Amino acid sequence: MGADLIFYNIGQLVTSRELEKNSGSSMENIEILENGYVAVENGHILTFGTGKVPNNLVGLNTKLIDVEGKVLSPGLIDSHTHLVHGGSRENEFSMKISGVPYLEILKNGGGILSSVSATREATAEELLSKAKNTLAKMLSFGVTAVESKSGYGLDLENEIKQLEVNKTLNLIQPVHIISTFMGAHATPKEFKDSPERFLDSVINMLPIIKEKELAEFCDVFCEKNIFSIPESKELLSKAKELGFKIKIHADEIESLGGAELAGELGAVSADHIMAISEAGIQSLKENQVIGNLLPGTSFNLCKAYAPARKLIESGVEIALSTDYNPGSCPCENLQLIMQIAASQMKMTPKEVFKAVTINAAKSIGKEDTIGSIDVGKKADFVIFDAHNIDYILYHFGTSHTQSVYIGGSLVYKK
Ligand code: NIG
Ligand code: FE
C-alpha cells in the first residue's frame, strides 16, 4: 500500500516532542532529528524517523518530496490574536510615538474603543473578508493554527458577529481557528457612567455564547482602570462553571496580580506578563499555567519585554504569539516575533521553536492533535528555506517559509 506522502532528506526535523527533562531547562527539551523523514496518510502523521525511508512505506501511489536538507517543523501556532476587527488605527500612530501612553488614548475614547466603533459598523461579510486576508498573510509565515478573540463588539450582537466570523473562517480557509470570547476587553461608551453594570452584561452573555458553541475560551483584560482582579475573578469563575477554558491578559502594564489569579483559577495561559511579580511567576509554575509572551507588543509600545529568561529558569513553560491587533501590535508576522524573542528576550532557538509549536498548542488546548510531529497528529508542517533553526532566527525581518502543508495538503508555496 504505502503512505500517501513522504517528506525525506530533511536536514533538521523539528518534531517538538518533549524529551525527558534533564538537568537543564525544560524549554530546551525538544527533539530535533537530523536527516529525517515523515510519512503521511489520510492527512495525519503515519510515522517518522531518520536515515533511509523504509521500503514498506513507499507504494505505487506514494508522493515523495525531497526537502533538500532543509528544516521541517510542525505548523507554527499563533496562540494569541485579535484577528477579527474593523478598521485600523494609524491615526493614533503619531500620538503614540510622541509618547502618549496606550491607556491614555483609550481613556479619551480612542484605542480599543475606536476599533469597537469600526467593528460595530462593519458587516459580518466585511469582517470575514478582512480576517481572511490577514490569515493568508499569517499562513505565508508558516502559521497553521490561530487563536482569535472577540472583544471589539462589547454588546451581545456584535460579540456574536465577531465569533461567527471565526466559525465561518474555519469552513472557508485552511488555517485552524480557535475561538475565544473576550467581551471584557474595555467598557463601551454606553456604560461609561455605570461600568459595574457592563461586567454584569458580559457575564450574561456567557451562557448564550456557550449554548451557540461560539468559543472554547474566555479571556479578560485584567489591568488597572480596565477590569480589576475581583472583576476578572468573578467573570472567569462564572465562565469556568459554564465549561469555558480560561485565559487572562495579565500584568501587561501594571503588576496587578493577574498571574497569581491565573494560577488560582487554573487558567490555561496568562498572557503578556511584562510586569509579572515574583509571586506571579511561582503561581504560574506551581499551577502549570503557560506564560504566553507577546514581544511584538513591547516592541511596538516601546515597553519592557517580559522577563523570559527568569520565567524559563523558574520552570514556567512559555508560548510566543503575535497579539495581532489594530492597536498595540498590528503585525501578523510570527517569524518576526520569534526573531525578537531570540534577540531581545534572549530565548534560544530551541526554546523559541518549542514556544510556537507544542507549547502554543497547549496554550490553546490542542496538544493532542497539533503542535508536534507525533504519530496520529495532523500533518501540519512548514518547510523553511534554511538548513538549521538558528539561521531562521538569526536572519531577521524576512520570511523563511518555503511551503506549508495542512492536513497533508499543500496550502502555501513561495
Ligand atoms: O492584547 N491589551 C489589550 N488588548 C490588546 C490590544 C487591543 C487593541 O489595542 O486594540 C492587547 O494588546
Ligand atoms: Fe491581546
Side-chain angles (χ1 to χ4, degrees):
M1 271 283 285
D4 298 334
L5 187 65
I6 299 175
F7 299 86
Y8 69 99
N9 190 16
I10 302 167
Q12 281 191 339
L13 172 59
V14 181
T15 71
S16 286
R17 296 195 315 163
E18 293 179 282
L19 303 166
E20 283 300 306
K21 282 180 198 166
N22 44 29
S23 52
S25 134
S26 69
M27 277 301 293
E28 279 241 324
N29 71 336
I30 55 161
E31 179 183 61
I32 299 185
L33 301 172
E34 307 272 322
N35 187 22
Y37 65 84
V38 187
V40 175
E41 194 171 62
N42 292 328
H44 291 81
I45 297 166
L46 177 64
T47 186
F48 62 93
T50 56
K52 192 177 169 308
V53 177
N55 287 338
N56 64 339
L57 290 178
V58 188
L60 275 179
N61 297 317
T62 304
K63 188 170 178 205
L64 289 154
I65 296 174
D66 183 357
V67 179
E68 298 173 329
K70 295 177 181 174
V71 175
L72 185 148
S73 85
L76 308 182
I77 299 171
D78 196 344
S79 56
H80 179 141
T81 85
H82 303 254
L83 171 70
V84 180
H85 57 260
S88 58
R89 309 220 295 266
E90 67 275 22
N91 59 320
E92 292 170 2
F93 190 61
S94 49
M95 250 191 277
K96 190 202 84 167
I97 52 184
S98 71
V100 185
Y102 176 74
L103 291 181
E104 190 68 29
I105 297 176
L106 174 61
K107 208 167 136 203
N108 295 324
I112 295 173
L113 291 180
S114 143
S115 297
V116 169
S117 304
T119 304
R120 286 178 175 181
E121 277 161 26
T123 64
E125 291 69 31
E126 286 162 347
L127 295 177
L128 182 70
S129 149
K130 181 170 156 68
K132 191 171 165 239
N133 280 336
T134 305
L135 279 174
K137 285 186 202 160
M138 290 177 164
L139 176 66
S140 78
F141 296 113
V143 171
T144 55
V146 170
E147 185 261 8
S148 169
K149 303 176 198 296
S150 67
Y152 293 113
L154 308 188
D155 59 28
L156 184 62
E157 180 194 341
N158 286 291
E159 286 292 305
I160 288 179
K161 180 171 77 178
Q162 273 193 279
L163 295 170
E164 280 179 341
V165 169
N166 283 344
K167 212 170 190 173
T168 310
L169 284 168
N170 258 328
L171 305 174
I172 62 165
Q173 59 76 57
V175 178
H176 313 296
I177 306 294
I178 289 78
S179 195
T180 295
F181 170 60
M182 197 176 175
H185 193 195
T187 299
K189 56 181 186 318
E190 61 273 22
F191 283 92
K192 204 165 176 255
D193 300 325
S194 51
E196 60 305 326
R197 280 185 37 236
F198 178 60
L199 189 74
D200 291 339
S201 88
V202 177
I203 290 173
N204 290 335
M205 293 179 207
L206 286 169
I208 304 164
I209 305 293
K210 189 73 202 166
E211 210 219 295
K212 290 180 178 286
E213 297 183 358
L214 285 172
E216 289 182 47
F217 283 87
C218 179
D219 196 344
V220 59
F221 189 7
C222 178
E223 185 62 59
K224 194 172 167 198
N225 298 329
I226 310 286
F227 294 97
S228 66
I229 293 283
E231 286 171 328
S232 303
K233 187 170 177 177
E234 187 184 350
L235 170 72
L236 294 176
S237 305
K238 293 266 164 53
K240 209 174 148 183
E241 271 169 40
L242 289 167
F244 287 92
K245 289 176 271 189
I246 58 181
K247 292 180 168 287
I248 310 186
H249 279 60
D251 303 319
E252 177 179 351
I253 295 159
E254 299 268 343
S255 183
L256 211 65
E260 289 87 324
L261 182 63
E264 182 188 332
L265 295 179
V268 178
S269 70
D271 301 39
H272 286 287
I273 54 174
M274 286 123 86
I276 191 170
S277 68
E278 203 61 58
I281 294 178
Q282 283 317 312
S283 170
L284 298 191
K285 181 190 153 58
E286 278 159 24
N287 298 289
Q288 287 163 34
V289 179
I290 301 264
N292 200 344
L293 310 187
L294 308 100
T297 305
S298 302
F299 175 82
N300 185 52
L301 295 181
C302 308
K303 293 256 177 216
Y305 290 96
R309 285 261 50 93
K310 192 165 180 199
L311 286 158
I312 291 169
E313 272 137 35
S314 306
V316 177
E317 290 291 324
I318 300 295
L320 279 168
S321 42
T322 58
D323 194 23
Y324 169 75
N325 73 70
S328 66
C329 196
C331 172
E332 56 282 277
N333 182 347
L334 188 56
Q335 284 184 37
L336 178 62
I337 302 305
M338 292 160 68
Q339 290 151 356
I340 296 176
S343 69
Q344 305 302 303
M345 300 199 301
K346 313 297 175 206
M347 286 176 68
T348 67
K350 273 188 164 179
E351 290 169 345
V352 168
F353 268 83
K354 186 175 189 192
V356 292
T357 56
I358 189 62
N359 277 9
K362 287 181 188 169
S363 155
I364 54 170
K366 296 287 175 238
E367 67 273 26
D368 292 339
T369 51
I370 57 174
S372 65
I373 293 184
D374 247 321
V375 174
K377 282 198 175 182
K378 288 191 177 137
D380 297 354
F381 310 129
V382 196
I383 297 174
F384 293 96
D385 186 12
H387 292 276
N388 55 66
I389 59 169
D390 291 39
Y391 184 84
I392 297 165
L393 300 174
Y394 138 87
H395 187 153
F396 72 96
T398 187
S399 175
H400 297 284
T401 316
Q402 180 170 304
S403 52
V404 185
Y405 290 78
I406 297 184
S409 298
L410 178 67
V411 288
Y412 173 82
K413 197 170 179 1
K414 202 172 197 167

